[in-house]
């Protein structure tokens, strides 16, 4: 809790907060991709190579098998390089060890003044967008993002992507800053409802658009 208190401004109060611990050293989607590519290489190159050898097409058979082995090692070492580069960047920004990266804390927080998100994996993309489009009232500090609620025009309740977005333009259908409720599935509807109730209790929300995928609310401070 002291970590959160350190980033709050004077008279700023926490209205809703969610924290979860993520292992940044293990990147599961990348491992899954590697497994599928490995299976593809086995069936796409090894199997035809073996068939070619049984039909005495020695050159073609060995070429396919060796190509599969080379591509396999290239994929593995490329992934290791990408992981190490990402981990080194995380450690440089956060000034932490690999062991600490294994217990990295992600924070989504709504206060009476700001949206605060602590998530280093999403910050790089958001920083590029803020810089490219000169988006105001969004600040960054290491792995923290701060959005001043005075600049928010709309709340986007996305039922398909399971997100609650904070938009600076009420004509937009997607938001750069959002709370994500993908997992756990058993709790996402309840958590989204909890955030919307918190927003309704502390701010002024007026619905101005709705379809089966998205609900838009005009947002303003009380």
């Amino acid at each position: 809790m002291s970590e959160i208190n350190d980033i709050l401004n004077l008279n700023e109060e926490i209205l809703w907060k969610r924290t979860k611990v993520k292992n940044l050293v293990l990147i599961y989607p990348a491992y899954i991709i590697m497994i599928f590519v490995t299976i593809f290489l086995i069936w796409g190159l090894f199997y035809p190579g073996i068939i070619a050898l049984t039909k005495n097409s020695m050159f073609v058979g060995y070429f396919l098998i060796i190509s599969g082995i080379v591509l396999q090692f290239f994929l593995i070492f490329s992934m290791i390089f990408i992981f190490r580069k990402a981990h080194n960047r995380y450690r440089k920004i956060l000034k932490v060890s690999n062991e600490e990266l294994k217990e990295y804390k992600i924070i989504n927080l709504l206060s009476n003044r700001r949206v605060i998100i602590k998530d280093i994996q999403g910050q790089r993309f958001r920083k590029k967008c803020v810089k490219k489009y000169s988006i105001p009232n969004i600040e960054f500090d290491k792995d923290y993002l701060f959005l001043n609620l005075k600049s928010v025009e709309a709340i986007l309740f996305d039922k398909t992507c399971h997100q609650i977005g904070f938009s600076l333009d009420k004509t937009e259908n997607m938001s750069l800053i959002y709370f994500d409720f993908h997992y756990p599935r058993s709790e996402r509807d309840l958590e989204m409802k909890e955030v919307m109730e918190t927003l309704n209790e502390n701010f002024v929300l007026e619905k101005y658009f709705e379809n089966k995928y998205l609900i838009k609310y005009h947002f303003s401070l009380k």
Side-chain angles (χ1 to χ4, degrees), residues 22 27 35 41 74 106 115 125 147 149 155 202 204 217:
K22 185 173 183 178
I27 306 177
I35 290 170
L41 289 175
F74 175 77
I106 296 173
V115 171
F125 171 75
L147 169 63
L149 287 173
I155 301 296
N202 295 276
V204 179
Y217 300 88

Side-chain angles (χ1 to χ4, degrees), residues 110-133:
L110 175 69
S111 79
N112 59 328
R113 295 187 177 181
R114 296 181 295 175
V115 171
I116 301 174
I117 297 176
K118 177 181 179 286
D119 185 358
I120 194 169
Q121 289 186 310
Q123 298 302 57
R124 198 173 189 182
F125 171 75
R126 290 188 176 110
K127 281 183 180 180
K128 286 182 179 179
C129 289
V130 168
K131 184 177 180 181
K132 181 178 180 180
Y133 299 106

Side-chain angles (χ1 to χ4, degrees), residues 1 3 7 9 13 15 44 60-62 71 79 82 86 99 110 115 136-137 143 159 163 170-171 185 194 201 213 215:
M1 191 67 182
E3 179 184 6
I7 62 173
N9 293 329
E13 299 176 2
L15 304 177
V60 174
Y62 283 123
L71 287 172
M79 285 294 184
I82 292 170
E99 290 302 315
L110 175 69
V115 171
N137 298 313
D143 53 340
K159 292 178 277 187
Q163 295 174 350
K170 63 182 180 181
T171 64
R185 292 183 179 181
E194 181 183 336
E201 288 173 4
Y213 307 110
I215 306 175

